[in-house]
Amino acid sequence: MEQQRSIVIIGGGIIGCTTAYYLSRHPSYSSSTTSITLLEASARGTAQGASGKAGGLVAKWAYPRELVDISYPEHVKLAEEHNGTERWGWRFVSCGSWEGHGEDLGDSGSGVGKGGQKKSLEKTLGLEDVSTTREETGLPDDLLWVKEELTTSYSPMSGPDGSAQVHPYLFTTSMLELAKEKGVLAVAGSATSIEREGRRVTGVSYRDSENQTKTIPATHVILSAGAWSPSLLPSLPISATRAHSVTIRPNSSTTIAPYVLFTEIRLPSNASTMHSRIVTPEIYARPDGEVYACGPGDDSRLPKNVDDVVVDLAACESVRDHVASISQELRDGEVEKRQACFLPVVSVGGGPIIGEAEKIAKGLYIATGHTCWGICNAPGTAKAMAELLFEGKIRSGNLKKLSPSRFL
Ligand SMILES: Cc1cc2nc3c(=O)[nH]c(=O)nc-3n(C[C@H](O)[C@H](O)[C@H](O)COP(=O)(O)OP(=O)(O)OC[C@H]3O[C@@H](n4cnc5c(N)ncnc54)[C@H](O)[C@@H]3O)c2cc1C
Ligand SMILES: *[C@@H]1O[C@H](CO)[C@@H](O)[C@H](O)[C@H]1NC(C)=O
Ligand SMILES: *[C@@H]1O[C@H](CO)[C@@H](O)[C@H](O)[C@H]1NC(C)=O
Ligand SMILES: *[C@@H]1O[C@H](CO)[C@@H](O)[C@H](O)[C@H]1NC(C)=O
Ligand SMILES: *[C@@H]1O[C@H](CO)[C@@H](O)[C@H](O)[C@H]1NC(C)=O
């Protein structure tokens, strides 16, 4: 007789939801012999954390290599199979690093600002001719939404099919919807402990939306609670970094060519300190015309629940000002979302952490610590998890370096 499996996934971010999808698509899965439950603590549903607020870049050149090699082709396949273009904004995208100067937003903004020119001279002092042509900077002909005259250099980070993007919120919620079609159950509740008997997991206790404590019996528990994972397994070396982002809607007569830019912007000197500052926002053009931009991380404390993450509006304003300093289109656009989220960082380096933590308990699986590449690496992580649970071994690649035994 076939084994009865009861799998509980803790956390409805991209890792948990994509894992639910791959489990429900594994050839050994049948809803009559296996139950799959996904627990998510937010009262607002899934993808309320980093997975709904990320940029969404999917890159062949991301890391770690062995996980990207599984993930990238899976992203392509998922998009083909489920109409990702329509459903989650999948497309190949040009991606490059852009270096240049920001204009002082104090001036009304048409043409080259005083600040911009001043910085231009400073940066190029003794280095290059000020009269750099577009060709010399490497700025692509169709990248018209950053100012040519502020550009020092542009270099592509991959060939034409080496970078793609998804809308991370739509991707994550779609994965769960597709998993539900095959019988996965999503439950609103905050896991409070992973129950064990001897050296085996037996269930997950959680508080439901009425704050009642309940327990779901489990033969397999997958911990994918992102930055919150150590609250259930304190020995996990995971720390949390907060990052702010905004989305900007350019006016309807503006077309924004599909580029993802990693920028290095030298801002105009501060009159009192006489020092210029370099900022490095990332900017993502999206298929629906929206532009996403995110700023640096900070070490603000992780709240208990994702719904209590505090957004510092001044940090959002800085991100907006920094990207507006190199783009008239973004300066004229309307800021729609101002948000913050925490990404899970492996504090001892390396990661993510993927595999069974059998030293702690048989049946306890970990899938977290994806730092800045969780959107890209979710399909590889999820496929590996499904293989490990149903076949006892990861077949798609060698992920030994990511094994929990190396981190716990
Ligand atoms: C600004 C920014 C930009 C990014 N851009 C990119 C990008 O372009 N490409 C890329 O690949 N990656 C990107 N990332 C990284 C990516 O967002 C993360 O690696 C990824 O979202 C992590 O997913 P997760 O599912 O592990 O965590 P999360 O999205 O944080 O999900 C964890 C979930 O677990 C839930 N949870 C927590 N505790 C409990 C509990 N006790 N019980 C039940 N549920 C619980 C939380 O509510 C949350 O929904 C970016 C990150 C940031 C911050
Ligand atoms: C994908 O969506 C587009 C646009 O709605 C539609 O034309 C196409 O038929 C869809 N393809 C599939 C396979 O559903
Ligand atoms: C939920 O219940 C726990 C334990 O009984 C209690 O400590 C907590 O304050 C309650 N939370 C709310 C929001 O009522
Ligand atoms: C200039 O720098 C000082 C000191 O860091 C700061 O207090 C001030 O706000 C800055 N001024 C501007 C215009 O950014
Ligand atoms: C839309 O934005 C573009 C680029 O910033 C600007 O040139 C144009 O005048 C704007 N049009 C309207 C109607 O606001």
Side-chain angles (χ1 to χ4, degrees), residues 11 13-15 39-41 50-51 54-57 189-191 225-226 228 232 284 292 294 306 341 343 370-376:
I14 194 166
I15 302 302
L39 256 183
E40 168 53 50
S51 301
L57 188 64
S190 180
W228 289 270
L232 290 147
Y284 300 67
Y292 167 98
C294 59
V306 68
C341 62
L343 69 161
H370 289 75
T371 60
C372 59
W373 285 116
I375 307 304
C376 179

PDB file of all heavy atoms in Angstrom, residues 11 13-15 39-41 50-51 54-57 189-191 225-226 228 232 284 292 294 306 341 343 370-376, ligand 1:
ATOM      1  N   GLY A  11       4.738  29.187   5.542  1.00  0.00           N
ATOM      2  CA  GLY A  11       5.125  30.420   4.856  1.00  0.00           C
ATOM      3  C   GLY A  11       4.626  30.455   3.427  1.00  0.00           C
ATOM      4  O   GLY A  11       4.942  29.580   2.627  1.00  0.00           O
ATOM      5  N   GLY A  13       5.307  32.732   0.977  1.00  0.00           N
ATOM      6  CA  GLY A  13       6.047  33.610   0.087  1.00  0.00           C
ATOM      7  C   GLY A  13       6.289  32.826  -1.203  1.00  0.00           C
ATOM      8  O   GLY A  13       5.677  31.768  -1.429  1.00  0.00           O
ATOM      9  N   ILE A  14       7.199  33.315  -2.028  1.00  0.00           N
ATOM     10  CA  ILE A  14       7.431  32.649  -3.313  1.00  0.00           C
ATOM     11  C   ILE A  14       7.985  31.237  -3.109  1.00  0.00           C
ATOM     12  O   ILE A  14       7.658  30.326  -3.864  1.00  0.00           O
ATOM     13  CB  ILE A  14       8.352  33.498  -4.230  1.00  0.00           C
ATOM     14  CG1 ILE A  14       8.285  32.968  -5.671  1.00  0.00           C
ATOM     15  CG2 ILE A  14       9.795  33.529  -3.718  1.00  0.00           C
ATOM     16  CD1 ILE A  14       8.870  33.903  -6.703  1.00  0.00           C
ATOM     17  N   ILE A  15       8.767  31.030  -2.058  1.00  0.00           N
ATOM     18  CA  ILE A  15       9.356  29.705  -1.852  1.00  0.00           C
ATOM     19  C   ILE A  15       8.275  28.703  -1.448  1.00  0.00           C
ATOM     20  O   ILE A  15       8.159  27.617  -2.023  1.00  0.00           O
ATOM     21  CB  ILE A  15      10.498  29.760  -0.812  1.00  0.00           C
ATOM     22  CG1 ILE A  15      11.585  30.755  -1.268  1.00  0.00           C
ATOM     23  CG2 ILE A  15      11.091  28.369  -0.576  1.00  0.00           C
ATOM     24  CD1 ILE A  15      12.223  30.479  -2.620  1.00  0.00           C
ATOM     25  N   LEU A  39       0.548  27.107   5.220  1.00  0.00           N
ATOM     26  CA  LEU A  39       0.161  28.034   6.291  1.00  0.00           C
ATOM     27  C   LEU A  39       0.772  29.402   6.023  1.00  0.00           C
ATOM     28  O   LEU A  39       1.988  29.514   5.819  1.00  0.00           O
ATOM     29  CB  LEU A  39       0.762  27.551   7.603  1.00  0.00           C
ATOM     30  CG  LEU A  39      -0.059  26.856   8.675  1.00  0.00           C
ATOM     31  CD1 LEU A  39       0.861  26.584   9.867  1.00  0.00           C
ATOM     32  CD2 LEU A  39      -1.271  27.653   9.081  1.00  0.00           C
ATOM     33  N   GLU A  40      -0.039  30.441   6.058  1.00  0.00           N
ATOM     34  CA  GLU A  40       0.500  31.795   5.885  1.00  0.00           C
ATOM     35  C   GLU A  40      -0.035  32.702   6.981  1.00  0.00           C
ATOM     36  O   GLU A  40      -1.230  32.748   7.234  1.00  0.00           O
ATOM     37  CB  GLU A  40       0.145  32.333   4.495  1.00  0.00           C
ATOM     38  CG  GLU A  40       0.388  33.824   4.299  1.00  0.00           C
ATOM     39  CD  GLU A  40       1.798  34.307   4.664  1.00  0.00           C
ATOM     40  OE1 GLU A  40       2.789  33.708   4.210  1.00  0.00           O
ATOM     41  OE2 GLU A  40       1.899  35.299   5.433  1.00  0.00           O
ATOM     42  N   ALA A  41       0.891  33.442   7.613  1.00  0.00           N
ATOM     43  CA  ALA A  41       0.547  34.222   8.795  1.00  0.00           C
ATOM     44  C   ALA A  41      -0.139  35.552   8.493  1.00  0.00           C
ATOM     45  O   ALA A  41      -0.815  36.115   9.351  1.00  0.00           O
ATOM     46  CB  ALA A  41       1.817  34.487   9.612  1.00  0.00           C
ATOM     47  N   ALA A  50       8.661  39.935   1.098  1.00  0.00           N
ATOM     48  CA  ALA A  50       9.621  40.203   0.026  1.00  0.00           C
ATOM     49  C   ALA A  50       9.115  39.674  -1.316  1.00  0.00           C
ATOM     50  O   ALA A  50       9.320  40.294  -2.368  1.00  0.00           O
ATOM     51  CB  ALA A  50      10.968  39.563   0.367  1.00  0.00           C
ATOM     52  N   SER A  51       8.418  38.550  -1.282  1.00  0.00           N
ATOM     53  CA  SER A  51       7.994  37.924  -2.533  1.00  0.00           C
ATOM     54  C   SER A  51       6.965  38.746  -3.301  1.00  0.00           C
ATOM     55  O   SER A  51       6.811  38.564  -4.503  1.00  0.00           O
ATOM     56  CB  SER A  51       7.414  36.547  -2.246  1.00  0.00           C
ATOM     57  OG  SER A  51       8.391  35.756  -1.605  1.00  0.00           O
ATOM     58  N   ALA A  54       9.407  42.467  -4.373  1.00  0.00           N
ATOM     59  CA  ALA A  54      10.732  42.411  -5.001  1.00  0.00           C
ATOM     60  C   ALA A  54      10.682  43.020  -6.392  1.00  0.00           C
ATOM     61  O   ALA A  54       9.617  43.372  -6.896  1.00  0.00           O
ATOM     62  CB  ALA A  54      11.185  40.957  -5.086  1.00  0.00           C
ATOM     63  N   GLY A  55      11.871  43.103  -7.018  1.00  0.00           N
ATOM     64  CA  GLY A  55      11.935  43.603  -8.384  1.00  0.00           C
ATOM     65  C   GLY A  55      11.378  42.589  -9.365  1.00  0.00           C
ATOM     66  O   GLY A  55      10.503  42.881 -10.169  1.00  0.00           O
ATOM     67  N   GLY A  56      11.916  41.373  -9.296  1.00  0.00           N
ATOM     68  CA  GLY A  56      11.396  40.320 -10.174  1.00  0.00           C
ATOM     69  C   GLY A  56      12.346  39.881 -11.263  1.00  0.00           C
ATOM     70  O   GLY A  56      11.948  39.210 -12.214  1.00  0.00           O
ATOM     71  N   LEU A  57      13.622  40.206 -11.110  1.00  0.00           N
ATOM     72  CA  LEU A  57      14.587  39.782 -12.123  1.00  0.00           C
ATOM     73  C   LEU A  57      14.881  38.293 -12.001  1.00  0.00           C
ATOM     74  O   LEU A  57      15.053  37.771 -10.902  1.00  0.00           O
ATOM     75  CB  LEU A  57      15.886  40.582 -11.951  1.00  0.00           C
ATOM     76  CG  LEU A  57      16.941  40.393 -13.044  1.00  0.00           C
ATOM     77  CD1 LEU A  57      16.430  40.903 -14.394  1.00  0.00           C
ATOM     78  CD2 LEU A  57      18.224  41.126 -12.673  1.00  0.00           C
ATOM     79  N   GLY A 189      -2.955  31.330   9.096  1.00  0.00           N
ATOM     80  CA  GLY A 189      -2.580  31.101  10.479  1.00  0.00           C
ATOM     81  C   GLY A 189      -1.087  31.257  10.647  1.00  0.00           C
ATOM     82  O   GLY A 189      -0.325  31.131   9.684  1.00  0.00           O
ATOM     83  N   SER A 190      -0.689  31.546  11.867  1.00  0.00           N
ATOM     84  CA  SER A 190       0.724  31.768  12.146  1.00  0.00           C
ATOM     85  C   SER A 190       1.283  30.574  12.917  1.00  0.00           C
ATOM     86  O   SER A 190       0.850  30.293  14.036  1.00  0.00           O
ATOM     87  CB  SER A 190       0.853  33.049  12.975  1.00  0.00           C
ATOM     88  OG  SER A 190       2.201  33.274  13.256  1.00  0.00           O
ATOM     89  N   ALA A 191       2.218  29.873  12.313  1.00  0.00           N
ATOM     90  CA  ALA A 191       2.809  28.699  12.968  1.00  0.00           C
ATOM     91  C   ALA A 191       3.510  29.128  14.246  1.00  0.00           C
ATOM     92  O   ALA A 191       4.227  30.138  14.258  1.00  0.00           O
ATOM     93  CB  ALA A 191       3.790  28.014  12.022  1.00  0.00           C
ATOM     94  N   ALA A 225       9.611  30.174   5.799  1.00  0.00           N
ATOM     95  CA  ALA A 225       9.023  31.393   6.345  1.00  0.00           C
ATOM     96  C   ALA A 225       9.945  32.594   6.163  1.00  0.00           C
ATOM     97  O   ALA A 225       9.854  33.583   6.900  1.00  0.00           O
ATOM     98  CB  ALA A 225       8.673  31.197   7.816  1.00  0.00           C
ATOM     99  N   GLY A 226      10.828  32.552   5.166  1.00  0.00           N
ATOM    100  CA  GLY A 226      11.698  33.682   4.857  1.00  0.00           C
ATOM    101  C   GLY A 226      12.443  34.160   6.084  1.00  0.00           C
ATOM    102  O   GLY A 226      12.964  33.360   6.874  1.00  0.00           O
ATOM    103  N   TRP A 228      11.475  35.117   8.770  1.00  0.00           N
ATOM    104  CA  TRP A 228      10.881  34.700  10.045  1.00  0.00           C
ATOM    105  C   TRP A 228      11.239  33.249  10.419  1.00  0.00           C
ATOM    106  O   TRP A 228      10.870  32.784  11.493  1.00  0.00           O
ATOM    107  CB  TRP A 228       9.357  34.849  10.011  1.00  0.00           C
ATOM    108  CG  TRP A 228       8.920  36.281  10.033  1.00  0.00           C
ATOM    109  CD1 TRP A 228       8.650  37.028  11.140  1.00  0.00           C
ATOM    110  CD2 TRP A 228       8.721  37.144   8.909  1.00  0.00           C
ATOM    111  NE1 TRP A 228       8.297  38.307  10.767  1.00  0.00           N
ATOM    112  CE2 TRP A 228       8.335  38.406   9.403  1.00  0.00           C
ATOM    113  CE3 TRP A 228       8.850  36.985   7.522  1.00  0.00           C
ATOM    114  CZ2 TRP A 228       8.063  39.496   8.565  1.00  0.00           C
ATOM    115  CZ3 TRP A 228       8.578  38.067   6.690  1.00  0.00           C
ATOM    116  CH2 TRP A 228       8.193  39.296   7.215  1.00  0.00           C
ATOM    117  N   LEU A 232      10.837  29.799  14.322  1.00  0.00           N
ATOM    118  CA  LEU A 232      10.416  28.413  14.512  1.00  0.00           C
ATOM    119  C   LEU A 232      11.589  27.469  14.709  1.00  0.00           C
ATOM    120  O   LEU A 232      11.437  26.366  15.226  1.00  0.00           O
ATOM    121  CB  LEU A 232       9.579  27.969  13.311  1.00  0.00           C
ATOM    122  CG  LEU A 232       8.212  28.673  13.311  1.00  0.00           C
ATOM    123  CD1 LEU A 232       7.721  28.933  11.921  1.00  0.00           C
ATOM    124  CD2 LEU A 232       7.217  27.889  14.149  1.00  0.00           C
ATOM    125  N   TYR A 284      13.424  48.782 -12.510  1.00  0.00           N
ATOM    126  CA  TYR A 284      12.858  47.721 -13.346  1.00  0.00           C
ATOM    127  C   TYR A 284      11.672  48.242 -14.132  1.00  0.00           C
ATOM    128  O   TYR A 284      10.643  48.593 -13.541  1.00  0.00           O
ATOM    129  CB  TYR A 284      12.339  46.568 -12.473  1.00  0.00           C
ATOM    130  CG  TYR A 284      13.366  45.880 -11.594  1.00  0.00           C
ATOM    131  CD1 TYR A 284      13.969  46.550 -10.529  1.00  0.00           C
ATOM    132  CD2 TYR A 284      13.699  44.549 -11.814  1.00  0.00           C
ATOM    133  CE1 TYR A 284      14.894  45.909  -9.715  1.00  0.00           C
ATOM    134  CE2 TYR A 284      14.619  43.897 -11.000  1.00  0.00           C
ATOM    135  CZ  TYR A 284      15.216  44.592  -9.949  1.00  0.00           C
ATOM    136  OH  TYR A 284      16.116  43.949  -9.141  1.00  0.00           O
ATOM    137  N   TYR A 292       9.419  49.896 -11.359  1.00  0.00           N
ATOM    138  CA  TYR A 292       9.695  49.563  -9.960  1.00  0.00           C
ATOM    139  C   TYR A 292      11.108  50.027  -9.644  1.00  0.00           C
ATOM    140  O   TYR A 292      12.013  49.889 -10.481  1.00  0.00           O
ATOM    141  CB  TYR A 292       9.574  48.049  -9.792  1.00  0.00           C
ATOM    142  CG  TYR A 292      10.126  47.490  -8.485  1.00  0.00           C
ATOM    143  CD1 TYR A 292       9.271  47.212  -7.414  1.00  0.00           C
ATOM    144  CD2 TYR A 292      11.488  47.219  -8.339  1.00  0.00           C
ATOM    145  CE1 TYR A 292       9.765  46.687  -6.229  1.00  0.00           C
ATOM    146  CE2 TYR A 292      11.989  46.697  -7.158  1.00  0.00           C
ATOM    147  CZ  TYR A 292      11.121  46.439  -6.111  1.00  0.00           C
ATOM    148  OH  TYR A 292      11.623  45.917  -4.941  1.00  0.00           O
ATOM    149  N   CYS A 294      14.068  50.104  -6.268  1.00  0.00           N
ATOM    150  CA  CYS A 294      14.344  49.828  -4.867  1.00  0.00           C
ATOM    151  C   CYS A 294      15.678  50.419  -4.442  1.00  0.00           C
ATOM    152  O   CYS A 294      16.571  50.642  -5.251  1.00  0.00           O
ATOM    153  CB  CYS A 294      14.282  48.334  -4.566  1.00  0.00           C
ATOM    154  SG  CYS A 294      15.434  47.332  -5.504  1.00  0.00           S
ATOM    155  N   VAL A 306       4.333  39.925   9.165  1.00  0.00           N
ATOM    156  CA  VAL A 306       4.610  40.687   7.942  1.00  0.00           C
ATOM    157  C   VAL A 306       3.670  41.888   7.809  1.00  0.00           C
ATOM    158  O   VAL A 306       4.047  42.932   7.250  1.00  0.00           O
ATOM    159  CB  VAL A 306       4.522  39.756   6.701  1.00  0.00           C
ATOM    160  CG1 VAL A 306       3.103  39.274   6.443  1.00  0.00           C
ATOM    161  CG2 VAL A 306       5.088  40.420   5.459  1.00  0.00           C
ATOM    162  N   CYS A 341      10.026  45.697   2.832  1.00  0.00           N
ATOM    163  CA  CYS A 341       9.932  44.268   3.127  1.00  0.00           C
ATOM    164  C   CYS A 341      11.283  43.780   3.643  1.00  0.00           C
ATOM    165  O   CYS A 341      12.277  44.499   3.576  1.00  0.00           O
ATOM    166  CB  CYS A 341       9.541  43.495   1.874  1.00  0.00           C
ATOM    167  SG  CYS A 341      10.730  43.619   0.546  1.00  0.00           S
ATOM    168  N   LEU A 343      14.220  40.841   3.495  1.00  0.00           N
ATOM    169  CA  LEU A 343      14.702  39.657   2.795  1.00  0.00           C
ATOM    170  C   LEU A 343      15.533  38.785   3.729  1.00  0.00           C
ATOM    171  O   LEU A 343      16.194  39.289   4.636  1.00  0.00           O
ATOM    172  CB  LEU A 343      15.443  39.987   1.500  1.00  0.00           C
ATOM    173  CG  LEU A 343      16.787  40.655   1.458  1.00  0.00           C
ATOM    174  CD1 LEU A 343      17.428  40.404   0.098  1.00  0.00           C
ATOM    175  CD2 LEU A 343      16.626  42.131   1.644  1.00  0.00           C
ATOM    176  N   HIS A 370      17.199  32.931   0.811  1.00  0.00           N
ATOM    177  CA  HIS A 370      17.461  33.190  -0.615  1.00  0.00           C
ATOM    178  C   HIS A 370      17.996  34.586  -0.902  1.00  0.00           C
ATOM    179  O   HIS A 370      18.176  34.949  -2.058  1.00  0.00           O
ATOM    180  CB  HIS A 370      16.188  32.939  -1.431  1.00  0.00           C
ATOM    181  CG  HIS A 370      15.839  31.480  -1.524  1.00  0.00           C
ATOM    182  ND1 HIS A 370      15.299  30.790  -0.459  1.00  0.00           N
ATOM    183  CD2 HIS A 370      15.984  30.582  -2.517  1.00  0.00           C
ATOM    184  CE1 HIS A 370      15.114  29.524  -0.815  1.00  0.00           C
ATOM    185  NE2 HIS A 370      15.526  29.368  -2.047  1.00  0.00           N
ATOM    186  N   THR A 371      18.241  35.363   0.125  1.00  0.00           N
ATOM    187  CA  THR A 371      18.747  36.736  -0.020  1.00  0.00           C
ATOM    188  C   THR A 371      18.118  37.442  -1.219  1.00  0.00           C
ATOM    189  O   THR A 371      16.901  37.470  -1.342  1.00  0.00           O
ATOM    190  CB  THR A 371      20.298  36.791  -0.101  1.00  0.00           C
ATOM    191  OG1 THR A 371      20.730  36.043  -1.235  1.00  0.00           O
ATOM    192  CG2 THR A 371      20.933  36.215   1.127  1.00  0.00           C
ATOM    193  N   CYS A 372      18.970  37.985  -2.120  1.00  0.00           N
ATOM    194  CA  CYS A 372      18.417  38.824  -3.183  1.00  0.00           C
ATOM    195  C   CYS A 372      18.036  38.045  -4.439  1.00  0.00           C
ATOM    196  O   CYS A 372      17.708  38.625  -5.450  1.00  0.00           O
ATOM    197  CB  CYS A 372      19.378  39.946  -3.513  1.00  0.00           C
ATOM    198  SG  CYS A 372      20.957  39.333  -4.050  1.00  0.00           S
ATOM    199  N   TRP A 373      18.048  36.717  -4.386  1.00  0.00           N
ATOM    200  CA  TRP A 373      17.702  35.949  -5.593  1.00  0.00           C
ATOM    201  C   TRP A 373      16.580  34.932  -5.407  1.00  0.00           C
ATOM    202  O   TRP A 373      16.507  33.928  -6.110  1.00  0.00           O
ATOM    203  CB  TRP A 373      18.954  35.241  -6.135  1.00  0.00           C
ATOM    204  CG  TRP A 373      19.900  36.163  -6.829  1.00  0.00           C
ATOM    205  CD1 TRP A 373      21.177  36.462  -6.450  1.00  0.00           C
ATOM    206  CD2 TRP A 373      19.667  36.921  -8.037  1.00  0.00           C
ATOM    207  NE1 TRP A 373      21.751  37.357  -7.337  1.00  0.00           N
ATOM    208  CE2 TRP A 373      20.840  37.653  -8.310  1.00  0.00           C
ATOM    209  CE3 TRP A 373      18.569  37.061  -8.898  1.00  0.00           C
ATOM    210  CZ2 TRP A 373      20.951  38.502  -9.418  1.00  0.00           C
ATOM    211  CZ3 TRP A 373      18.683  37.917  -9.994  1.00  0.00           C
ATOM    212  CH2 TRP A 373      19.863  38.619 -10.242  1.00  0.00           C
ATOM    213  N   GLY A 374      15.687  35.192  -4.476  1.00  0.00           N
ATOM    214  CA  GLY A 374      14.610  34.239  -4.222  1.00  0.00           C
ATOM    215  C   GLY A 374      13.571  34.138  -5.333  1.00  0.00           C
ATOM    216  O   GLY A 374      12.946  33.087  -5.510  1.00  0.00           O
ATOM    217  N   ILE A 375      13.369  35.210  -6.067  1.00  0.00           N
ATOM    218  CA  ILE A 375      12.390  35.167  -7.159  1.00  0.00           C
ATOM    219  C   ILE A 375      12.959  34.290  -8.272  1.00  0.00           C
ATOM    220  O   ILE A 375      12.297  33.392  -8.793  1.00  0.00           O
ATOM    221  CB  ILE A 375      12.102  36.597  -7.696  1.00  0.00           C
ATOM    222  CG1 ILE A 375      11.699  37.549  -6.564  1.00  0.00           C
ATOM    223  CG2 ILE A 375      11.057  36.547  -8.812  1.00  0.00           C
ATOM    224  CD1 ILE A 375      10.516  37.126  -5.737  1.00  0.00           C
ATOM    225  N   CYS A 376      14.204  34.562  -8.596  1.00  0.00           N
ATOM    226  CA  CYS A 376      14.892  33.771  -9.612  1.00  0.00           C
ATOM    227  C   CYS A 376      14.980  32.304  -9.210  1.00  0.00           C
ATOM    228  O   CYS A 376      14.690  31.401 -10.007  1.00  0.00           O
ATOM    229  CB  CYS A 376      16.284  34.374  -9.799  1.00  0.00           C
ATOM    230  SG  CYS A 376      17.314  33.526 -10.978  1.00  0.00           S
TER     231      CYS A 376
HETATM  232  C1  LIG B   1      13.902  45.200  -2.613  1.00  0.00           C
HETATM  233  C2  LIG B   1      14.053  43.769  -3.025  1.00  0.00           C
HETATM  234  C3  LIG B   1      14.184  43.442  -4.365  1.00  0.00           C
HETATM  235  C4  LIG B   1      14.351  42.112  -4.744  1.00  0.00           C
HETATM  236  N1  LIG B   1      14.471  41.810  -6.064  1.00  0.00           N
HETATM  237  C5  LIG B   1      14.659  40.528  -6.449  1.00  0.00           C
HETATM  238  C6  LIG B   1      14.789  40.190  -7.820  1.00  0.00           C
HETATM  239  O1  LIG B   1      14.707  41.054  -8.699  1.00  0.00           O
HETATM  240  N2  LIG B   1      15.020  38.899  -8.151  1.00  0.00           N
HETATM  241  C7  LIG B   1      15.119  37.920  -7.209  1.00  0.00           C
HETATM  242  O2  LIG B   1      15.352  36.769  -7.574  1.00  0.00           O
HETATM  243  N3  LIG B   1      14.956  38.201  -5.894  1.00  0.00           N
HETATM  244  C8  LIG B   1      14.734  39.485  -5.506  1.00  0.00           C
HETATM  245  N4  LIG B   1      14.597  39.784  -4.175  1.00  0.00           N
HETATM  246  C9  LIG B   1      14.705  38.692  -3.188  1.00  0.00           C
HETATM  247  C10 LIG B   1      13.382  37.982  -2.971  1.00  0.00           C
HETATM  248  O3  LIG B   1      12.362  38.923  -2.774  1.00  0.00           O
HETATM  249  C11 LIG B   1      13.470  37.041  -1.773  1.00  0.00           C
HETATM  250  O4  LIG B   1      14.619  36.238  -1.847  1.00  0.00           O
HETATM  251  C12 LIG B   1      12.248  36.125  -1.719  1.00  0.00           C
HETATM  252  O5  LIG B   1      11.063  36.871  -1.846  1.00  0.00           O
HETATM  253  C13 LIG B   1      12.214  35.299  -0.444  1.00  0.00           C
HETATM  254  O6  LIG B   1      11.041  34.540  -0.470  1.00  0.00           O
HETATM  255  P1  LIG B   1      10.527  33.739   0.788  1.00  0.00           P
HETATM  256  O7  LIG B   1       9.332  33.004   0.342  1.00  0.00           O
HETATM  257  O8  LIG B   1      11.670  32.979   1.354  1.00  0.00           O
HETATM  258  O9  LIG B   1      10.205  34.852   1.875  1.00  0.00           O
HETATM  259  P2  LIG B   1       8.956  35.826   2.080  1.00  0.00           P
HETATM  260  O10 LIG B   1       8.497  36.426   0.825  1.00  0.00           O
HETATM  261  O11 LIG B   1       9.331  36.744   3.180  1.00  0.00           O
HETATM  262  O12 LIG B   1       7.814  34.855   2.559  1.00  0.00           O
HETATM  263  C14 LIG B   1       7.806  34.269   3.824  1.00  0.00           C
HETATM  264  C15 LIG B   1       6.365  34.156   4.249  1.00  0.00           C
HETATM  265  O13 LIG B   1       6.289  33.398   5.441  1.00  0.00           O
HETATM  266  C16 LIG B   1       5.263  33.950   6.231  1.00  0.00           C
HETATM  267  N5  LIG B   1       5.477  33.570   7.618  1.00  0.00           N
HETATM  268  C17 LIG B   1       6.430  34.026   8.456  1.00  0.00           C
HETATM  269  N6  LIG B   1       6.318  33.456   9.659  1.00  0.00           N
HETATM  270  C18 LIG B   1       5.277  32.603   9.585  1.00  0.00           C
HETATM  271  C19 LIG B   1       4.660  31.721  10.511  1.00  0.00           C
HETATM  272  N7  LIG B   1       5.117  31.605  11.753  1.00  0.00           N
HETATM  273  N8  LIG B   1       3.594  31.000  10.114  1.00  0.00           N
HETATM  274  C20 LIG B   1       3.115  31.116   8.844  1.00  0.00           C
HETATM  275  N9  LIG B   1       3.668  31.938   7.934  1.00  0.00           N
HETATM  276  C21 LIG B   1       4.737  32.675   8.292  1.00  0.00           C
HETATM  277  C22 LIG B   1       5.397  35.440   6.009  1.00  0.00           C
HETATM  278  O14 LIG B   1       4.209  36.100   6.365  1.00  0.00           O
HETATM  279  C23 LIG B   1       5.717  35.494   4.531  1.00  0.00           C
HETATM  280  O15 LIG B   1       4.566  35.605   3.728  1.00  0.00           O
HETATM  281  C24 LIG B   1      14.410  41.099  -3.769  1.00  0.00           C
HETATM  282  C25 LIG B   1      14.259  41.441  -2.434  1.00  0.00           C
HETATM  283  C26 LIG B   1      14.080  42.751  -2.055  1.00  0.00           C
HETATM  284  C27 LIG B   1      13.913  43.065  -0.614  1.00  0.00           C
END
